[in-house]
Amino acid sequence: MSTALHLALKEIWRGLGRFLLFSLVIALITLLILFIAALGEGLGAGNREYLEKLNGQLVAYQDTARLNIASSRIDCDVRRALSGIKGVEAVGGVGFSSVAIPRGGGDDPFDVSLIGVEPGKPGEPPVTKGNTLARRSADRVIVDKTVALVMNVDVGDTITVRSAQGADYEFYPLQVVGITSSQKYAIRPSIFVPIATWDKIRPKAAVGGGVDEPVCNVAAIRLQDPNQIEVMGQRLMERVRKVEVVDRKTAYENTPGYSAQQSTLTTQNTFALLIGLLVIGGFFQIQTLQKVPQIGMLKAIGTPNGVVAAAAMIQIILVTLLGVIVGTLIALGVALIFPPNIPIIFEPRSGATAVISILLIGPLGGLVSVRYSLRVEPLIALGLDT
């Protein structure tokens, strides 16, 4: 092994520029794969974050909505019926819409998801700073941390939201009473208001005030025993008419475009890995073809095939490892300069999977060149065959 290591390092040193250049190519491939993985995680989180963190185990839809939140309507009577089922601890209505927060200086407004919740019930997110909504109809708002960072607001400040009411825009001032963790929905940061306030300010096709009992899109259900998700889901659908009840994972997987988006990004990542495999394999194959005489000389003086193969594999591993390290550092460095509203999330598990995949495709791609080097005949390589 020491002989193989010596041969590998000696050749790398003599062709340092060439090997460093190829390490840079591997670094760029690593950068591409990591960013595709981070984009997939960011876009996925942008669709699922609120539902994934929902402080309830089940989500109830109107049965005809086919798990489409925008098409679902759950009125107060249905919510009361759900809360009366044995095993249910609490039920909270949740409404979804979109509004914009105007920026100072005439910049483009900041689009956010407006989520209406019932204070103190499932659906209202826990705050990391400040207080919960407390009152059912107050003009108060909880903002997620992305909104707080982008709009530079804190507890006690007032934000103004712009909402389409008929053919015109109306502006509504809301006092920030709390800040919560990132709670994106529909690829937008979220703000949370009491359900009556949501019904008043949500975009409407015709001008008109809200109603006493707003009709929500879905109902968040918290169970007395969180381990009884499947049993309680079936029981609720049997005892309450016109509802479909699912767990949180099923709920966010059925948000519009989520599954197709994740499939597309997974396909892109797979093709990027395949391209990396071909590029690395091609480089080391060319390397082997260029040094056939040297391999022939080594074999002519009695160097075993195992040493030749080990030297080639050590080169592949070292060059790939250097490229992956450089690419990972560049990716993490570039990620620090992105603004908080860009959907790029370097999640440790997906990032580690991407890095390990690249480290594996290096030796895998180089196996062809190793196999070729083992088949080199010394006399033919040196031009001495007769």
Side-chain angles (χ1 to χ4, degrees):
M1 182 58 70
S2 60
T3 304
L5 180 62
H6 173 76
L7 289 172
L9 294 177
K10 195 72 172 179
E11 184 177 1
I12 289 175
W13 180 253
R14 289 182 177 276
L16 189 60
R18 182 171 66 254
F19 283 103
L20 286 178
L21 182 61
F22 189 64
S23 287
L24 182 59
V25 172
I26 295 176
L28 293 176
I29 293 172
T30 303
L31 183 64
L32 172 64
I33 292 173
L34 285 176
F35 264 95
I36 291 175
L39 181 62
E41 189 65 32
L43 291 175
N47 269 316
R48 71 171 184 261
E49 228 168 30
Y50 171 67
L51 293 172
E52 189 177 35
K53 297 178 181 179
L54 194 68
N55 54 352
Q57 290 77 37
L58 297 172
V59 181
Y61 296 76
Q62 185 179 4
D63 61 344
T64 56
R66 302 179 65 181
L67 302 184
N68 187 316
I69 287 177
S71 302
S72 177
R73 298 291 182 271
I74 299 290
D75 60 27
C76 187
D77 291 338
V78 173
R79 300 200 298 272
R80 274 197 291 264
L82 290 169
S83 63
I85 302 300
K86 183 179 179 181
V88 174
E89 181 179 318
V91 176
V94 184
F96 298 86
S97 55
S98 299
V99 294
I101 304 175
R103 305 179 196 244
D107 292 334
D108 291 336
F110 184 49
D111 293 323
V112 296
S113 290
L114 176 70
I115 301 179
V117 298
E118 295 186 80
K121 294 186 177 181
E124 181 183 18
V127 296
T128 57
K129 185 177 182 181
N131 302 301
T132 56
L133 293 172
R135 291 171 54 192
R136 192 169 185 273
S137 60
D139 291 335
R140 299 181 178 182
V141 63
I142 294 173
V143 302
D144 80 3
K145 69 175 185 178
T146 303
V147 176
L149 289 170
V150 172
M151 299 306 298
N152 192 28
V153 296
D154 205 345
V155 174
D157 294 340
T158 298
I159 63 172
T160 300
V161 300
R162 188 189 74 181
S163 176
Q165 302 293 319
D168 299 317
Y169 285 115
E170 295 289 340
F171 296 86
Y172 301 90
L174 300 170
Q175 183 184 14
V176 178
V177 295
I179 297 173
T180 185
S181 60
S182 182
Q183 299 274 346
K184 293 186 180 71
Y185 174 77
I187 317 293
R188 298 186 186 95
S190 302
I191 63 174
F192 301 86
V193 296
I195 195 68
T197 304
W198 170 82
D199 189 62
K200 178 179 72 175
I201 68 178
R202 65 185 174 88
K204 303 180 186 72
V207 178
V211 295
D212 292 336
E213 294 294 344
V215 177
C216 305
N217 294 113
V218 299
I221 303 168
R222 185 164 61 235
L223 304 177
Q224 293 174 355
D225 183 359
N227 297 318
Q228 297 293 315
I229 291 177
E230 292 186 10
V231 173
M232 285 301 300
Q234 189 64 35
R235 181 185 300 175
L236 289 168
M237 287 190 287
E238 289 174 353
R239 299 189 182 183
V240 180
R241 295 178 57 207
K242 298 182 179 180
V243 297
E244 184 173 1
V245 181
V246 299
D247 59 32
R248 291 176 300 190
K249 186 173 186 292
T250 303
Y252 69 68
E253 285 180 346
N254 281 275
T255 54
Y258 177 82
S259 297
Q261 179 190 88
Q262 293 302 299
S263 297
T264 300
L265 290 166
T266 300
T267 302
Q268 289 179 347
N269 217 343
T270 302
F271 273 102
L273 286 170
L274 179 60
I275 291 169
L277 177 67
L278 296 175
V279 169
I280 294 172
F283 174 81
F284 284 106
Q285 180 69 4
I286 294 171
Q287 280 282 101
T288 302
L289 291 173
Q290 289 178 339
K291 60 182 184 182
V292 166
Q294 291 92 326
I295 296 173
M297 180 62 72
L298 287 172
K299 289 189 174 184
I301 61 175
T303 305
N305 275 340
V307 173
V308 174
M313 192 56 70
I314 289 171
Q315 281 185 354
I316 295 168
I317 292 172
L318 290 177
V319 171
T320 303
L321 182 61
L322 177 61
V324 168
I325 292 172
V326 172
T328 302
L329 292 176
I330 293 174
L332 295 176
V334 172
L336 296 176
I337 66 175
F338 278 109
N341 57 322
I342 298 296
I344 297 288
I345 298 178
F346 284 94
E347 201 269 336
R349 185 177 60 182
S350 59
T353 301
V355 167
I356 291 171
S357 299
I358 304 165
L359 288 174
L360 289 176
I361 68 171
L364 187 61
L367 285 178
V368 175
S369 63
V370 172
R371 182 172 179 273
Y372 184 84
S373 65
L374 295 178
R375 296 172 61 188
V376 171
E377 291 292 337
L379 294 179
I380 296 176
L382 297 173
L384 300 176
D385 61 318
T386 57

Short mmCIF file of all heavy atoms in Angstrom, two decimals, residues 264-324:
data_model
loop_
_atom_site.label_atom_id
_atom_site.label_comp_id
_atom_site.label_asym_id
_atom_site.label_seq_id
_atom_site.Cartn_x
_atom_site.Cartn_y
_atom_site.Cartn_z
N THR A 264 -39.54 16.58 -9.82
CA THR A 264 -38.71 17.26 -10.81
C THR A 264 -37.30 17.52 -10.28
O THR A 264 -36.29 17.25 -10.96
CB THR A 264 -39.35 18.60 -11.22
OG1 THR A 264 -40.64 18.35 -11.79
CG2 THR A 264 -38.49 19.34 -12.23
N LEU A 265 -37.22 18.00 -9.04
CA LEU A 265 -35.91 18.29 -8.45
C LEU A 265 -35.11 17.02 -8.19
O LEU A 265 -33.89 17.00 -8.35
CB LEU A 265 -36.10 19.09 -7.17
CG LEU A 265 -36.60 20.53 -7.39
CD1 LEU A 265 -37.08 21.14 -6.09
CD2 LEU A 265 -35.50 21.39 -8.00
N THR A 266 -35.79 15.95 -7.81
CA THR A 266 -35.09 14.67 -7.62
C THR A 266 -34.52 14.16 -8.94
O THR A 266 -33.40 13.65 -8.99
CB THR A 266 -36.06 13.62 -7.03
OG1 THR A 266 -36.54 14.10 -5.77
CG2 THR A 266 -35.36 12.29 -6.83
N THR A 267 -35.30 14.32 -10.02
CA THR A 267 -34.82 13.92 -11.35
C THR A 267 -33.60 14.74 -11.76
O THR A 267 -32.62 14.20 -12.29
CB THR A 267 -35.94 14.08 -12.39
OG1 THR A 267 -37.07 13.29 -11.98
CG2 THR A 267 -35.49 13.64 -13.76
N GLN A 268 -33.65 16.04 -11.51
CA GLN A 268 -32.51 16.90 -11.83
C GLN A 268 -31.27 16.47 -11.05
O GLN A 268 -30.16 16.43 -11.61
CB GLN A 268 -32.85 18.36 -11.51
CG GLN A 268 -33.87 18.98 -12.45
CD GLN A 268 -34.19 20.41 -12.08
OE1 GLN A 268 -33.84 20.88 -11.00
NE2 GLN A 268 -34.88 21.11 -12.96
N ASN A 269 -31.46 16.16 -9.78
CA ASN A 269 -30.32 15.73 -8.96
C ASN A 269 -29.74 14.42 -9.47
O ASN A 269 -28.52 14.23 -9.50
CB ASN A 269 -30.77 15.57 -7.51
CG ASN A 269 -29.70 16.01 -6.53
OD1 ASN A 269 -28.54 16.14 -6.89
ND2 ASN A 269 -30.09 16.25 -5.30
N THR A 270 -30.62 13.50 -9.88
CA THR A 270 -30.16 12.22 -10.41
C THR A 270 -29.34 12.41 -11.68
O THR A 270 -28.27 11.80 -11.85
CB THR A 270 -31.36 11.31 -10.70
OG1 THR A 270 -32.11 11.12 -9.49
CG2 THR A 270 -30.90 9.95 -11.23
N PHE A 271 -29.82 13.27 -12.58
CA PHE A 271 -29.07 13.53 -13.81
C PHE A 271 -27.75 14.24 -13.53
O PHE A 271 -26.74 13.99 -14.21
CB PHE A 271 -29.92 14.35 -14.78
CG PHE A 271 -30.82 13.51 -15.65
CD1 PHE A 271 -32.16 13.39 -15.36
CD2 PHE A 271 -30.31 12.82 -16.73
CE1 PHE A 271 -33.00 12.60 -16.14
CE2 PHE A 271 -31.13 12.03 -17.53
CZ PHE A 271 -32.48 11.92 -17.24
N ALA A 272 -27.73 15.13 -12.54
CA ALA A 272 -26.48 15.79 -12.17
C ALA A 272 -25.45 14.77 -11.67
O ALA A 272 -24.26 14.84 -12.00
CB ALA A 272 -26.73 16.86 -11.11
N LEU A 273 -25.91 13.81 -10.87
CA LEU A 273 -25.01 12.75 -10.40
C LEU A 273 -24.52 11.89 -11.56
O LEU A 273 -23.35 11.50 -11.60
CB LEU A 273 -25.73 11.88 -9.36
CG LEU A 273 -25.92 12.50 -7.97
CD1 LEU A 273 -26.85 11.64 -7.14
CD2 LEU A 273 -24.59 12.66 -7.26
N LEU A 274 -25.41 11.60 -12.50
CA LEU A 274 -25.02 10.80 -13.67
C LEU A 274 -23.98 11.55 -14.51
O LEU A 274 -22.99 10.95 -14.97
CB LEU A 274 -26.26 10.49 -14.51
CG LEU A 274 -26.01 9.67 -15.79
CD1 LEU A 274 -25.41 8.32 -15.45
CD2 LEU A 274 -27.32 9.50 -16.57
N ILE A 275 -24.18 12.85 -14.69
CA ILE A 275 -23.20 13.65 -15.42
C ILE A 275 -21.86 13.64 -14.70
O ILE A 275 -20.79 13.50 -15.32
CB ILE A 275 -23.73 15.09 -15.60
CG1 ILE A 275 -24.92 15.10 -16.56
CG2 ILE A 275 -22.62 16.02 -16.11
CD1 ILE A 275 -25.67 16.42 -16.58
N GLY A 276 -21.91 13.77 -13.37
CA GLY A 276 -20.67 13.72 -12.60
C GLY A 276 -19.95 12.40 -12.76
O GLY A 276 -18.72 12.34 -12.90
N LEU A 277 -20.71 11.31 -12.76
CA LEU A 277 -20.13 9.99 -12.95
C LEU A 277 -19.42 9.88 -14.30
O LEU A 277 -18.28 9.39 -14.39
CB LEU A 277 -21.25 8.93 -12.85
CG LEU A 277 -20.87 7.48 -13.10
CD1 LEU A 277 -19.96 6.98 -11.99
CD2 LEU A 277 -22.12 6.61 -13.19
N LEU A 278 -20.07 10.38 -15.37
CA LEU A 278 -19.48 10.31 -16.70
C LEU A 278 -18.25 11.20 -16.83
O LEU A 278 -17.25 10.83 -17.45
CB LEU A 278 -20.52 10.68 -17.75
CG LEU A 278 -21.74 9.74 -17.86
CD1 LEU A 278 -22.75 10.30 -18.83
CD2 LEU A 278 -21.28 8.35 -18.29
N VAL A 279 -18.32 12.40 -16.24
CA VAL A 279 -17.19 13.33 -16.33
C VAL A 279 -15.97 12.78 -15.61
O VAL A 279 -14.85 12.79 -16.13
CB VAL A 279 -17.58 14.71 -15.76
CG1 VAL A 279 -16.36 15.60 -15.61
CG2 VAL A 279 -18.61 15.40 -16.66
N ILE A 280 -16.18 12.29 -14.39
CA ILE A 280 -15.06 11.74 -13.62
C ILE A 280 -14.49 10.50 -14.31
O ILE A 280 -13.26 10.34 -14.44
CB ILE A 280 -15.52 11.41 -12.19
CG1 ILE A 280 -15.88 12.70 -11.45
CG2 ILE A 280 -14.42 10.65 -11.43
CD1 ILE A 280 -16.52 12.49 -10.10
N GLY A 281 -15.38 9.63 -14.77
CA GLY A 281 -14.91 8.44 -15.48
C GLY A 281 -14.14 8.79 -16.73
O GLY A 281 -13.09 8.20 -17.02
N GLY A 282 -14.63 9.77 -17.49
CA GLY A 282 -13.95 10.18 -18.72
C GLY A 282 -12.58 10.76 -18.46
O GLY A 282 -11.61 10.49 -19.19
N PHE A 283 -12.46 11.60 -17.42
CA PHE A 283 -11.17 12.21 -17.11
C PHE A 283 -10.11 11.16 -16.78
O PHE A 283 -9.01 11.17 -17.33
CB PHE A 283 -11.32 13.18 -15.93
CG PHE A 283 -10.01 13.74 -15.45
CD1 PHE A 283 -9.41 14.80 -16.10
CD2 PHE A 283 -9.36 13.20 -14.34
CE1 PHE A 283 -8.19 15.31 -15.66
CE2 PHE A 283 -8.16 13.69 -13.89
CZ PHE A 283 -7.57 14.76 -14.57
N PHE A 284 -10.46 10.25 -15.90
CA PHE A 284 -9.47 9.26 -15.48
C PHE A 284 -9.20 8.24 -16.58
O PHE A 284 -8.10 7.66 -16.65
CB PHE A 284 -9.90 8.58 -14.18
CG PHE A 284 -9.70 9.45 -12.97
CD1 PHE A 284 -10.77 10.04 -12.34
CD2 PHE A 284 -8.42 9.71 -12.50
CE1 PHE A 284 -10.59 10.86 -11.23
CE2 PHE A 284 -8.22 10.52 -11.39
CZ PHE A 284 -9.30 11.10 -10.76
N GLN A 285 -10.15 8.01 -17.47
CA GLN A 285 -9.90 7.15 -18.61
C GLN A 285 -8.86 7.79 -19.53
O GLN A 285 -7.94 7.12 -20.02
CB GLN A 285 -11.21 6.89 -19.37
CG GLN A 285 -11.07 6.00 -20.59
CD GLN A 285 -10.74 4.55 -20.23
OE1 GLN A 285 -10.69 4.20 -19.06
NE2 GLN A 285 -10.49 3.72 -21.24
N ILE A 286 -8.99 9.10 -19.77
CA ILE A 286 -8.01 9.81 -20.59
C ILE A 286 -6.64 9.79 -19.92
O ILE A 286 -5.60 9.60 -20.57
CB ILE A 286 -8.48 11.26 -20.85
CG1 ILE A 286 -9.74 11.25 -21.73
CG2 ILE A 286 -7.38 12.09 -21.51
CD1 ILE A 286 -10.41 12.59 -21.87
N GLN A 287 -6.65 9.98 -18.59
CA GLN A 287 -5.40 9.92 -17.83
C GLN A 287 -4.69 8.58 -18.04
O GLN A 287 -3.48 8.52 -18.26
CB GLN A 287 -5.69 10.11 -16.34
CG GLN A 287 -5.90 11.54 -15.92
CD GLN A 287 -4.59 12.27 -15.80
OE1 GLN A 287 -4.22 13.03 -16.70
NE2 GLN A 287 -3.86 12.03 -14.74
N THR A 288 -5.47 7.52 -17.98
CA THR A 288 -4.89 6.18 -18.13
C THR A 288 -4.34 5.98 -19.53
O THR A 288 -3.24 5.41 -19.70
CB THR A 288 -5.96 5.12 -17.81
OG1 THR A 288 -6.45 5.32 -16.48
CG2 THR A 288 -5.37 3.71 -17.92
N LEU A 289 -5.06 6.42 -20.54
CA LEU A 289 -4.60 6.27 -21.92
C LEU A 289 -3.29 7.03 -22.15
O LEU A 289 -2.43 6.59 -22.92
CB LEU A 289 -5.67 6.78 -22.89
CG LEU A 289 -6.95 5.92 -22.98
CD1 LEU A 289 -7.99 6.62 -23.84
CD2 LEU A 289 -6.63 4.54 -23.54
N GLN A 290 -3.13 8.16 -21.47
CA GLN A 290 -1.92 8.98 -21.65
C GLN A 290 -0.69 8.36 -20.98
O GLN A 290 0.44 8.67 -21.35
CB GLN A 290 -2.15 10.39 -21.11
CG GLN A 290 -3.12 11.22 -21.96
CD GLN A 290 -3.36 12.58 -21.35
OE1 GLN A 290 -3.15 12.79 -20.15
NE2 GLN A 290 -3.81 13.53 -22.17
N LYS A 291 -0.91 7.51 -20.01
CA LYS A 291 0.24 6.94 -19.30
C LYS A 291 0.37 5.43 -19.47
O LYS A 291 0.91 4.74 -18.60
CB LYS A 291 0.16 7.31 -17.81
CG LYS A 291 -1.08 6.79 -17.09
CD LYS A 291 -1.10 7.24 -15.64
CE LYS A 291 -2.30 6.65 -14.90
NZ LYS A 291 -2.35 7.10 -13.51
N VAL A 292 -0.12 4.91 -20.58
CA VAL A 292 0.03 3.48 -20.87
C VAL A 292 1.49 3.05 -20.84
O VAL A 292 1.83 2.01 -20.26
CB VAL A 292 -0.65 3.13 -22.21
CG1 VAL A 292 -0.22 1.75 -22.69
CG2 VAL A 292 -2.17 3.18 -22.06
N PRO A 293 2.44 3.81 -21.47
CA PRO A 293 3.85 3.39 -21.40
C PRO A 293 4.38 3.30 -19.97
O PRO A 293 5.13 2.37 -19.64
CB PRO A 293 4.58 4.47 -22.20
CG PRO A 293 3.54 5.01 -23.13
CD PRO A 293 2.28 4.99 -22.35
N GLN A 294 4.01 4.25 -19.12
CA GLN A 294 4.48 4.21 -17.73
C GLN A 294 3.93 2.99 -16.99
O GLN A 294 4.64 2.34 -16.21
CB GLN A 294 4.05 5.48 -16.97
CG GLN A 294 4.76 6.75 -17.45
CD GLN A 294 4.00 7.46 -18.55
OE1 GLN A 294 3.34 6.81 -19.37
NE2 GLN A 294 4.10 8.78 -18.58
N ILE A 295 2.63 2.68 -17.24
CA ILE A 295 2.05 1.48 -16.62
C ILE A 295 2.76 0.23 -17.11
O ILE A 295 3.07 -0.69 -16.34
CB ILE A 295 0.54 1.41 -16.91
CG1 ILE A 295 -0.20 2.58 -16.27
CG2 ILE A 295 -0.05 0.09 -16.40
CD1 ILE A 295 -1.66 2.69 -16.65
N GLY A 296 3.07 0.20 -18.43
CA GLY A 296 3.80 -0.93 -18.98
C GLY A 296 5.17 -1.08 -18.35
O GLY A 296 5.61 -2.21 -18.05
N MET A 297 5.86 0.04 -18.13
CA MET A 297 7.18 -0.02 -17.50
C MET A 297 7.08 -0.56 -16.07
O MET A 297 7.90 -1.39 -15.65
CB MET A 297 7.80 1.39 -17.48
CG MET A 297 9.17 1.45 -16.83
SD MET A 297 10.39 0.45 -17.72
CE MET A 297 10.63 1.47 -19.18
N LEU A 298 6.09 -0.09 -15.31
CA LEU A 298 5.92 -0.58 -13.95
C LEU A 298 5.70 -2.09 -13.93
O LEU A 298 6.28 -2.82 -13.11
CB LEU A 298 4.73 0.14 -13.28
CG LEU A 298 4.94 1.60 -12.88
CD1 LEU A 298 3.63 2.22 -12.41
CD2 LEU A 298 6.00 1.71 -11.78
N LYS A 299 4.87 -2.56 -14.84
CA LYS A 299 4.60 -3.99 -14.89
C LYS A 299 5.82 -4.78 -15.35
O LYS A 299 6.07 -5.90 -14.89
CB LYS A 299 3.42 -4.28 -15.81
CG LYS A 299 2.08 -3.82 -15.24
CD LYS A 299 0.91 -4.32 -16.09
CE LYS A 299 -0.41 -3.99 -15.45
NZ LYS A 299 -1.54 -4.56 -16.20
N ALA A 300 6.61 -4.18 -16.25
CA ALA A 300 7.81 -4.85 -16.76
C ALA A 300 8.85 -5.06 -15.67
O ALA A 300 9.61 -6.04 -15.71
CB ALA A 300 8.40 -4.05 -17.91
N ILE A 301 8.90 -4.16 -14.70
CA ILE A 301 9.88 -4.31 -13.62
C ILE A 301 9.31 -5.07 -12.42
O ILE A 301 9.91 -5.09 -11.35
CB ILE A 301 10.42 -2.94 -13.16
CG1 ILE A 301 9.29 -2.06 -12.61
CG2 ILE A 301 11.13 -2.23 -14.30
CD1 ILE A 301 9.78 -0.73 -12.04
N GLY A 302 8.08 -5.64 -12.62
CA GLY A 302 7.55 -6.54 -11.60
C GLY A 302 6.53 -5.95 -10.65
O GLY A 302 6.21 -6.57 -9.63
N THR A 303 6.02 -4.78 -10.95
CA THR A 303 5.00 -4.18 -10.07
C THR A 303 3.68 -4.96 -10.20
O THR A 303 3.18 -5.13 -11.31
CB THR A 303 4.74 -2.71 -10.45
OG1 THR A 303 5.98 -2.00 -10.42
CG2 THR A 303 3.76 -2.06 -9.47
N PRO A 304 3.14 -5.43 -9.09
CA PRO A 304 1.90 -6.22 -9.16
C PRO A 304 0.72 -5.37 -9.64
O PRO A 304 0.69 -4.16 -9.46
CB PRO A 304 1.69 -6.68 -7.71
CG PRO A 304 3.00 -6.49 -7.02
CD PRO A 304 3.68 -5.35 -7.71
N ASN A 305 -0.25 -6.07 -10.20
CA ASN A 305 -1.48 -5.39 -10.63
C ASN A 305 -2.19 -4.69 -9.47
O ASN A 305 -2.79 -3.63 -9.64
CB ASN A 305 -2.44 -6.40 -11.27
CG ASN A 305 -2.14 -6.61 -12.74
OD1 ASN A 305 -1.49 -5.79 -13.38
ND2 ASN A 305 -2.60 -7.74 -13.29
N GLY A 306 -2.11 -5.29 -8.28
CA GLY A 306 -2.76 -4.71 -7.12
C GLY A 306 -2.22 -3.33 -6.78
O GLY A 306 -2.97 -2.42 -6.41
N VAL A 307 -0.88 -3.16 -6.95
CA VAL A 307 -0.27 -1.86 -6.66
C VAL A 307 -0.70 -0.82 -7.70
O VAL A 307 -1.01 0.32 -7.37
CB VAL A 307 1.27 -1.99 -6.62
CG1 VAL A 307 1.93 -0.61 -6.51
CG2 VAL A 307 1.69 -2.86 -5.45
N VAL A 308 -0.73 -1.24 -8.96
CA VAL A 308 -1.15 -0.33 -10.04
C VAL A 308 -2.60 0.12 -9.81
O VAL A 308 -2.94 1.31 -9.92
CB VAL A 308 -1.01 -1.02 -11.41
CG1 VAL A 308 -1.58 -0.13 -12.51
CG2 VAL A 308 0.45 -1.34 -11.69
N ALA A 309 -3.47 -0.84 -9.48
CA ALA A 309 -4.88 -0.52 -9.24
C ALA A 309 -5.04 0.37 -8.02
O ALA A 309 -5.83 1.33 -8.03
CB ALA A 309 -5.68 -1.81 -9.08
N ALA A 310 -4.31 0.06 -6.95
CA ALA A 310 -4.42 0.85 -5.72
C ALA A 310 -3.95 2.27 -5.94
O ALA A 310 -4.54 3.23 -5.44
CB ALA A 310 -3.62 0.18 -4.60
N ALA A 311 -2.86 2.46 -6.71
CA ALA A 311 -2.35 3.81 -6.99
C ALA A 311 -3.39 4.62 -7.76
O ALA A 311 -3.62 5.80 -7.46
CB ALA A 311 -1.05 3.71 -7.78
N ALA A 312 -4.03 3.99 -8.75
CA ALA A 312 -5.06 4.69 -9.54
C ALA A 312 -6.25 5.05 -8.66
O ALA A 312 -6.78 6.16 -8.75
CB ALA A 312 -5.50 3.81 -10.71
N MET A 313 -6.66 4.14 -7.79
CA MET A 313 -7.82 4.40 -6.94
C MET A 313 -7.52 5.47 -5.90
O MET A 313 -8.38 6.30 -5.57
CB MET A 313 -8.26 3.10 -6.25
CG MET A 313 -9.60 3.19 -5.57
SD MET A 313 -10.95 3.72 -6.68
CE MET A 313 -11.10 2.29 -7.72
N ILE A 314 -6.30 5.49 -5.37
CA ILE A 314 -5.91 6.53 -4.42
C ILE A 314 -5.98 7.90 -5.09
O ILE A 314 -6.47 8.89 -4.50
CB ILE A 314 -4.51 6.26 -3.85
CG1 ILE A 314 -4.55 5.05 -2.91
CG2 ILE A 314 -3.98 7.48 -3.10
CD1 ILE A 314 -3.18 4.56 -2.47
N GLN A 315 -5.50 7.99 -6.32
CA GLN A 315 -5.59 9.26 -7.06
C GLN A 315 -7.04 9.71 -7.19
O GLN A 315 -7.37 10.87 -6.95
CB GLN A 315 -4.98 9.10 -8.44
CG GLN A 315 -3.48 9.15 -8.49
CD GLN A 315 -2.97 9.11 -9.92
OE1 GLN A 315 -3.74 8.93 -10.86
NE2 GLN A 315 -1.67 9.25 -10.08
N ILE A 316 -7.88 8.79 -7.60
CA ILE A 316 -9.30 9.12 -7.80
C ILE A 316 -9.92 9.62 -6.51
O ILE A 316 -10.62 10.64 -6.48
CB ILE A 316 -10.07 7.88 -8.33
CG1 ILE A 316 -9.55 7.50 -9.71
CG2 ILE A 316 -11.57 8.15 -8.37
CD1 ILE A 316 -10.04 6.14 -10.19
N ILE A 317 -9.65 8.92 -5.42
CA ILE A 317 -10.25 9.29 -4.13
C ILE A 317 -9.75 10.66 -3.67
O ILE A 317 -10.53 11.51 -3.22
CB ILE A 317 -9.96 8.21 -3.07
CG1 ILE A 317 -10.71 6.92 -3.43
CG2 ILE A 317 -10.35 8.68 -1.68
CD1 ILE A 317 -10.34 5.74 -2.56
N LEU A 318 -8.44 10.91 -3.77
CA LEU A 318 -7.87 12.17 -3.31
C LEU A 318 -8.40 13.36 -4.13
O LEU A 318 -8.78 14.40 -3.58
CB LEU A 318 -6.35 12.12 -3.38
CG LEU A 318 -5.65 11.20 -2.37
CD1 LEU A 318 -4.14 11.19 -2.61
CD2 LEU A 318 -5.96 11.63 -0.94
N VAL A 319 -8.42 13.19 -5.46
CA VAL A 319 -8.89 14.28 -6.33
C VAL A 319 -10.38 14.55 -6.07
O VAL A 319 -10.81 15.71 -5.98
CB VAL A 319 -8.64 13.94 -7.80
CG1 VAL A 319 -9.31 14.94 -8.73
CG2 VAL A 319 -7.13 13.90 -8.08
N THR A 320 -11.16 13.48 -5.94
CA THR A 320 -12.59 13.64 -5.68
C THR A 320 -12.83 14.28 -4.32
O THR A 320 -13.67 15.19 -4.18
CB THR A 320 -13.31 12.28 -5.75
OG1 THR A 320 -13.07 11.68 -7.02
CG2 THR A 320 -14.80 12.45 -5.55
N LEU A 321 -12.10 13.83 -3.31
CA LEU A 321 -12.27 14.36 -1.95
C LEU A 321 -11.95 15.85 -1.91
O LEU A 321 -12.70 16.64 -1.31
CB LEU A 321 -11.37 13.60 -0.98
CG LEU A 321 -11.46 13.99 0.49
CD1 LEU A 321 -12.87 13.76 1.02
CD2 LEU A 321 -10.45 13.21 1.32
N LEU A 322 -10.85 16.25 -2.57
CA LEU A 322 -10.49 17.67 -2.59
C LEU A 322 -11.59 18.49 -3.28
O LEU A 322 -12.00 19.55 -2.79
CB LEU A 322 -9.16 17.86 -3.31
CG LEU A 322 -8.69 19.32 -3.48
CD1 LEU A 322 -8.51 19.98 -2.12
CD2 LEU A 322 -7.41 19.38 -4.29
N GLY A 323 -12.09 17.99 -4.41
CA GLY A 323 -13.14 18.70 -5.12
C GLY A 323 -14.41 18.83 -4.31
O GLY A 323 -15.05 19.89 -4.30
N VAL A 324 -14.79 17.76 -3.61
CA VAL A 324 -16.00 17.79 -2.79
C VAL A 324 -15.86 18.78 -1.64
O VAL A 324 -16.79 19.54 -1.33
CB VAL A 324 -16.33 16.37 -2.27
CG1 VAL A 324 -17.41 16.43 -1.20
CG2 VAL A 324 -16.78 15.48 -3.42
#
